[in-house]
């Protein structure tokens, strides 16, 4: 009985089938919903191929079907490597452990980890909200490799509500200008003056107040809406620039943040080209910051995008260098004009004590030197940090020590001064 209710690959229920059959459980007490997701499944596919990936999914389906085998258990594969189970809450934890034990024996060269998010729905609770919550619990341990299962709690619900709010109100926030762009000065060490500025998005919401980019950006990335923000912010930068240009005021190059997803989700280069043409902005006045990525799958599209941008005359900067797992590989595989050293290097950095941090920063810096790439350190907060980073040879610095993000016009009023740029 294949059809929209049965998954072709594994024979388990589909999402639709699961929702339909879960109606039989209405009014029942003592249920648990479990959302399973396989760690690094994308990487597994890249390494071993899709065929082997499909086999693993089938094997997992079999394991789950063997362990959650009572008539009362409902099993589904929702998409990719997302499996969902409705079961008896009394046996849920023990069964999850058993699944994990089986899994360890499945593949010789790789350790597979199936993360599990658990939620206990109340009687008659909508099944969709139940599995959303189980998924939230599952997502919450994505980066925590020391645990493999997690129970939903109320804090996660608040997070879910905020995520929903962000997604629902995004367009409204654009239209009503609740989302804005501020600029943080970047200082060239050799002149001691501001040479550029980084554009950073801000969301001031009438209902929720200030929403941090640390909250709305990961949500927009997760739900693949990030390009909307990036296009909006990029256009705003072009307009701000144009306004100063039309008034005959001084100008500096501005860097914008792009998500690597922008290269998949839209024709980001065409969007940028259209905006700079309308606003009469030379390409050398816009820099593109992109955060390093560890996902091989995205590499080709991203690499083509980076090379195209550079060939057109844009500088492309690598953001947050040192924050991910594969910074060195990324440096090897892509060509950047500048690398921005992640702020974490400097967090709590005491010039007189942190020898290790010094070794790491200075050896990475020499590597950048050898590759002929400019080096920028972010998050400079104290005069001591500035002095140290200057002494080891950074080209540019950025941080609260020089200025927090502010309006573009305010940058030009700072006492430190701005380098003159001769723009056409
Ligand atoms: P980022 O690109 O690494 O930006 C630097 C962040 O560090 C900014 O936070 C900035 O306000 C903060 N910062 C700068 N100097 C200091 C300092 O001295 N000390 C400390 N503690 N923090 C400092 P913000 O604006 O909250 O942005 C957070 C992240 O959100 C950004 O990190 C960037 O990844 C992302 N983001 C912001 N705007 C956009 C955007 O328009 N598009 C995309 N895709 N991402 C954006
Ligand atoms: Ca940045
Ligand atoms: Ca950064």
């Amino acid at each position: 009985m294949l059809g929209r209710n049965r998954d072709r690959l594994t024979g388990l229920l589909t999402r639709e089938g699961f929702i339909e059959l879960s109606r039989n459980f209405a009014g029942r007490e003592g249920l648990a919903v479990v959302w399973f997701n396989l760690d690094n499944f994308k990487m597994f596919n890249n390494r071993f191929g899709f065929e082997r990936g499909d086999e693993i999914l089938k094997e997992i389906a079999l394991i789950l079907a063997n362990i959650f085998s009572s008539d009362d258990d409902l099993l589904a594969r929702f998409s990719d490597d997302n499996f969902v189970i409705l079961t008896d809450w009394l046996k849920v934890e023990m069964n999850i452990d058993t699944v994990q034990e089986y899994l360890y024996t499945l593949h010789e060269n790789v350790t597979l980890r199936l993360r599990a998010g658990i939620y206990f729905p109340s009687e008659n609770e909508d099944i969709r909200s139940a599995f959303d919550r189980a998924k939230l619990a599952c997502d919450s341990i994505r980066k925590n490799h020391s645990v493999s299962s997690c129970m939903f709690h109320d804090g996660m619900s608040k997070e879910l509500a905020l995520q929903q709010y962000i997604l629902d109100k995004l367009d409204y926030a654009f239209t009503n200008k609740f989302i804005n762009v501020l600029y943080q000065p970047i200082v060239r060490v050799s002149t001691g003056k501001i040479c550029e500025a980084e554009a950073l998005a801000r969301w001031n919401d009438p209902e929720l107040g200030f929403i941090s980019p640390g909250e709305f950006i990961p949500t927009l990335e997760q739900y693949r809406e990030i390009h909307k923000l990036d296009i909006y912010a990029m256009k705003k930068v072009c307009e701000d620039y144009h306004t100063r240009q039309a008034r005959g005021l001084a100008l500096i190059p501005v860097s914008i943040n792009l998500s690597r997803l922008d290269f998949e989700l839209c024709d980001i280069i065409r969007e940028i080209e259209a905006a700079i043409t309308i606003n009469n902005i030379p390409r050398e006045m816009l820099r593109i910051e992109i955060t390093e990525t560890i996902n091989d799958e995205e590499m080709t599209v991203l690499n083509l995008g980076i090379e195209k941008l550079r060939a057109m005359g844009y500088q492309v900067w690598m953001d947050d260098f040192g924050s991910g797992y594969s910074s060195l590989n990324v440096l090897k595989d892509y060509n950047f004009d500048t690398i921005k050293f992640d702020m974490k290097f400097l967090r709590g950095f005491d010039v007189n004590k942190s020898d290790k941090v010094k070794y790491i920063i200075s050896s990475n810096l020499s590597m950048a030197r050898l590759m002929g790439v400019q080096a920028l350190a972010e998050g400079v907060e104290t005069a001591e940090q500035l002095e140290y980073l200057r002494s080891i040879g950074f080209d540019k610095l950025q941080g609260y020590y020089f200025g927090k993000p502010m309006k573009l016009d305010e940058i030009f009023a700072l006492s430190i001064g701005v380098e003159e740029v001769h723009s056409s």
Side-chain angles (χ1 to χ4, degrees), residues 215-231:
E215 283 168 319
F216 63 81
I217 284 160
T219 301
L220 296 177
E221 289 202 322
Q222 187 181 341
Y223 291 90
R224 301 173 77 81
E225 300 265 41
I226 186 69
H227 57 298
K228 292 189 185 168
L229 173 81
D230 288 342
I231 292 172

Side-chain angles (χ1 to χ4, degrees), residues 14-15 18-19 32-39 60 64 68 74-87 92 96 99-100 113-121 127-142 148-152 160 222-223:
T14 57
R15 188 175 186 278
F18 183 88
I19 293 172
V33 176
V34 188
W35 185 288
F36 283 108
N37 179 274
L38 197 58
D39 266 0
I60 289 173
L64 291 174
F68 294 92
L74 216 52
L75 250 71
R77 183 171 80 112
F78 273 24
S79 60
D80 309 314
D81 53 337
N82 293 305
F83 295 87
V84 179
I85 286 171
L86 186 63
T87 187
V92 70
I96 290 175
V99 170
Q100 195 58 52
R113 180 178 80 135
L114 202 59
R115 269 176 294 121
I118 310 165
Y119 176 65
F120 302 129
I127 190 68
R128 289 178 194 84
S129 93
F131 57 65
D132 272 354
R133 287 169 175 204
K135 176 176 191 301
L136 213 59
C138 180
D139 288 346
S140 74
I141 50 169
R142 183 179 293 151
S148 53
S149 69
C150 174
M151 212 85 83
F152 174 87
L160 190 66
Q222 187 181 341
Y223 291 90

Side-chain angles (χ1 to χ4, degrees), residues 52-240:
R52 186 74 190 105
D54 280 354
E55 270 174 43
I56 285 286
L57 293 178
K58 282 195 252 177
E59 284 163 16
I60 289 173
L62 262 180
I63 293 176
L64 291 174
N66 269 327
I67 294 170
F68 294 92
S69 59
S70 93
D71 290 345
D72 282 350
D73 292 332
L74 216 52
L75 250 71
R77 183 171 80 112
F78 273 24
S79 60
D80 309 314
D81 53 337
N82 293 305
F83 295 87
V84 179
I85 286 171
L86 186 63
T87 187
D88 182 344
W89 68 273
L90 277 177
K91 57 182 186 184
V92 70
E93 284 190 78
M94 200 181 71
N95 281 349
I96 290 175
D97 288 345
T98 319
V99 170
Q100 195 58 52
E101 278 162 29
Y102 269 95
L103 213 63
Y104 282 137
T105 61
L106 213 57
H107 202 283
E108 279 172 16
N109 312 322
V110 205
T111 315
L112 291 166
R113 180 178 80 135
L114 202 59
R115 269 176 294 121
I118 310 165
Y119 176 65
F120 302 129
S122 48
E123 297 155 56
N124 294 322
E125 183 169 344
D126 180 40
I127 190 68
R128 289 178 194 84
S129 93
F131 57 65
D132 272 354
R133 287 169 175 204
K135 176 176 191 301
L136 213 59
C138 180
D139 288 346
S140 74
I141 50 169
R142 183 179 293 151
K143 288 183 182 150
N144 181 355
H145 293 268
S146 58
V147 289
S148 53
S149 69
C150 174
M151 212 85 83
F152 174 87
H153 61 77
D154 271 343
M156 294 175 184
S157 184
K158 283 199 195 106
E159 200 177 302
L160 190 66
L162 179 61
Q163 286 197 334
Q164 202 54 55
Y165 187 90
I166 289 167
L167 296 169
D168 289 347
K169 294 290 173 83
L170 185 66
D171 288 330
Y172 185 70
F174 289 147
T175 322
N176 292 283
K177 300 200 163 54
F178 301 148
I179 299 181
N180 218 321
V181 173
L182 291 183
Y183 299 81
Q184 188 177 31
I186 298 172
V187 172
R188 193 189 312 279
V189 175
S190 61
T191 62
K193 290 187 175 177
I194 296 163
C195 55
E196 280 138 341
E198 176 180 9
L200 294 156
R202 292 287 172 271
W203 186 330
N204 271 310
D205 192 77
E207 277 179 55
L208 298 189
F210 181 76
I211 311 176
S212 151
E215 283 168 319
F216 63 81
I217 284 160
T219 301
L220 296 177
E221 289 202 322
Q222 187 181 341
Y223 291 90
R224 301 173 77 81
E225 300 265 41
I226 186 69
H227 57 298
K228 292 189 185 168
L229 173 81
D230 288 342
I231 292 172
Y232 175 91
M234 180 271 299
K235 284 185 178 163
K236 185 74 179 60
V237 167
C238 291
E239 285 162 20
D240 287 353

Side-chain angles (χ1 to χ4, degrees), residues 174 225-239 256-259 261-281 283 286 288 305 308-309 312 314:
F174 289 147
E225 300 265 41
I226 186 69
H227 57 298
K228 292 189 185 168
L229 173 81
D230 288 342
I231 292 172
Y232 175 91
M234 180 271 299
K235 284 185 178 163
K236 185 74 179 60
V237 167
C238 291
E239 285 162 20
I256 56 168
N257 288 282
L258 292 190
S259 164
L261 288 177
D262 294 342
F263 292 85
E264 282 176 44
L265 296 172
C266 66
D267 189 343
I268 190 70
I269 299 181
R270 207 183 60 189
E271 298 282 350
I272 296 173
E273 284 285 297
I276 65 159
T277 308
I278 294 173
N279 292 289
N280 191 27
I281 300 170
R283 288 176 182 149
L286 211 61
I288 315 287
K308 191 166 168 197
L309 283 166
M312 291 168 92
Y314 295 98

